[in-house]
Amino acid sequence: MSLGKIIGQKNKDLSKRIDKQKVPEHVAIIMDGNGRWATKKGLPRSFGHKKGVSVLKEILKAAKKLGCKVITVYAFSTENWTRPTKEVDFLINLFSEVLKKEIEEIHEESTKIKFIGDLTPFPENLKEIISNSEALTKNNNKFLFNVCVNYGGRQEIVKVAKELALKSSSGEIEPHEVNEELFNSALLTHGTKDPELLIRTSGEKRISNFLLWQLAYSEIYISDVLWPDFNEFEFLKAIIDYQSRSRRFGGIESLPNESFEDSQLSS
Ligand code: FPP
């Protein structure tokens, strides 16, 4: 049997353990470890980012196959500008090249692509490619692919607070009308269900300013695998782990024949 067939069989075996009724609709991913992967292999960091793109394609495919509806990835944080100019330029160029190459296929699969973050500092040619890609795919409804670039969770929250403060001072809303629903509607992800699952690769146990509001109740899965080594098998493992959790949203799981008695406290 070829290696490809063996891997395919392993993935099939694992996917049989997945409850198709409980697949998360929205999975957020922090794709971490590209640089370390390349350095470990004695390669320039850019090789890690390139390999990272092919992994991303594999995961998008796997997520669609499983029945997920939204994937949101952290491709460039507001803090990533502090990297050496050469690496920042490489990443910006990579975004353009990948989009140019992949957008037709993304569109054919009826996937809608959306960029989330402040695009202002990016070069005009990237902004144009992004805007064309979003326009081309805006009516697609099978799958949503959110790419967070120059994104920061705190910055997003401050932006919403400013917008609501302005609306309040202009009399468009009353201060007491500010609630979670209104706040949600002003987020960059408005209209999209919050992620049920956050996957972070490379073993780091941090949220790193990613979707701070939206991840409030998400399950977090940390994989020790570096992003360029992540694959469908690892993704399926994350889904199985997610399905083993009980999501209580601060409440308690109701079990049959279990009741809470005040007397249990006073006795
Ligand atoms: C984190 O690894 C990865 C990034 C900062 C970039 C990820 C971007 C891609 C995979 C390209 C995606 C392209 C499109 C068009 C969506 P790191 O460099 O922080 O790794 P390290 O922690 O090992 O240094």
Side-chain angles (χ1 to χ4, degrees):
M1 214 191 271
S2 70
L3 186 62
K5 274 197 178 150
I6 295 171
I7 292 172
Q9 192 54 49
K10 265 178 69 185
N11 292 345
K12 262 190 202 154
D13 291 346
L14 203 57
S15 64
K16 278 187 200 140
R17 288 174 45 196
I18 290 177
D19 180 348
K20 295 285 173 343
Q21 307 305 314
K22 285 194 200 148
V23 169
E25 203 170 291
H26 184 177
V27 181
I29 308 179
I30 301 180
M31 314 177 285
D32 198 10
N34 291 353
R36 273 166 284 166
W37 179 88
T39 307
K40 264 185 171 178
K41 290 186 169 332
L43 298 166
R45 290 172 59 87
S46 56
F47 280 64
H49 297 314
K50 269 197 212 158
K51 177 71 171 40
V53 172
S54 65
V55 171
L56 179 55
K57 282 175 68 181
E58 178 176 345
I59 299 310
L60 284 172
K61 228 174 168 178
K64 285 180 197 174
K65 198 162 71 181
L66 210 57
C68 301
K69 295 288 173 219
V70 186
I71 289 280
T72 301
V73 295
Y74 209 1
F76 195 92
S77 73
T78 42
E79 291 73 30
N80 285 153
W81 293 106
T82 58
R83 294 189 177 203
T85 317
K86 242 176 109 181
E87 183 167 346
V88 169
D89 289 348
F90 177 86
L91 280 169
I92 289 174
N93 190 49
L94 185 68
F95 296 150
S96 304
E97 292 307 311
V98 171
L99 267 183
K100 275 193 266 177
K101 190 163 166 257
E102 305 293 339
I103 196 61
E104 280 309 321
E105 197 178 324
I106 290 174
H107 183 44
E108 273 163 26
E109 289 178 357
S110 197
T111 292
K112 176 175 174 170
I113 191 165
K114 219 177 124 190
F115 282 78
I116 293 181
D118 177 12
L119 301 182
T120 328
F122 289 117
E124 285 309 316
N125 72 321
L126 176 59
K127 282 195 259 194
E128 199 181 319
I129 295 167
I130 287 178
S131 137
N132 291 342
S133 306
E134 288 184 331
L136 178 71
T137 62
K138 73 174 193 298
N139 295 321
N140 293 348
N141 54 17
K142 278 220 178 108
F143 194 83
L144 173 63
F145 177 36
N146 287 324
V147 185
C148 295
V149 283
N150 193 27
Y151 172 85
R154 284 189 177 179
Q155 289 84 341
E156 180 183 28
I157 290 171
V158 169
K159 181 181 168 300
V160 173
K162 255 188 205 158
E163 264 173 45
L164 297 181
L166 276 172
K167 280 189 179 169
S168 171
S169 64
S170 71
E172 209 180 312
I173 56 164
E174 292 291 332
H176 72 264
E177 288 178 286
V178 176
N179 57 19
E180 286 191 21
E181 204 185 335
L182 193 66
F183 210 94
N184 242 323
S185 68
L187 288 169
L188 299 169
T189 52
H190 63 90
T192 306
K193 190 178 175 185
D194 289 340
E196 293 100 316
L197 173 64
L198 166 72
I199 298 175
R200 180 169 190 156
T201 58
S202 93
E204 305 289 353
K205 299 176 183 73
R206 287 188 293 276
I207 294 186
S208 300
N209 206 14
F210 188 41
L211 302 175
L212 293 183
W213 175 282
Q214 298 87 337
L215 292 173
Y217 289 101
S218 308
E219 295 296 328
I220 300 179
Y221 178 84
I222 307 288
S223 167
D224 285 332
V225 174
L226 302 176
W227 179 251
D229 282 331
F230 201 74
N231 53 27
E232 181 174 4
F233 190 77
E234 296 298 331
F235 181 72
L236 296 175
K237 268 169 57 183
I239 303 293
I240 290 170
D241 188 85
Y242 161 81
Q243 292 191 335
S244 74
R245 318 254 184 111
S246 76
R247 305 191 73 214
R248 294 186 300 273
F249 302 97
I252 55 169
E253 196 171 30
S254 60
L255 296 170
N257 305 323
E258 191 185 58
S259 65
F260 182 80
E261 308 265 349
D262 276 348
S263 57
Q264 285 175 341
L265 277 183
S266 49
S267 64

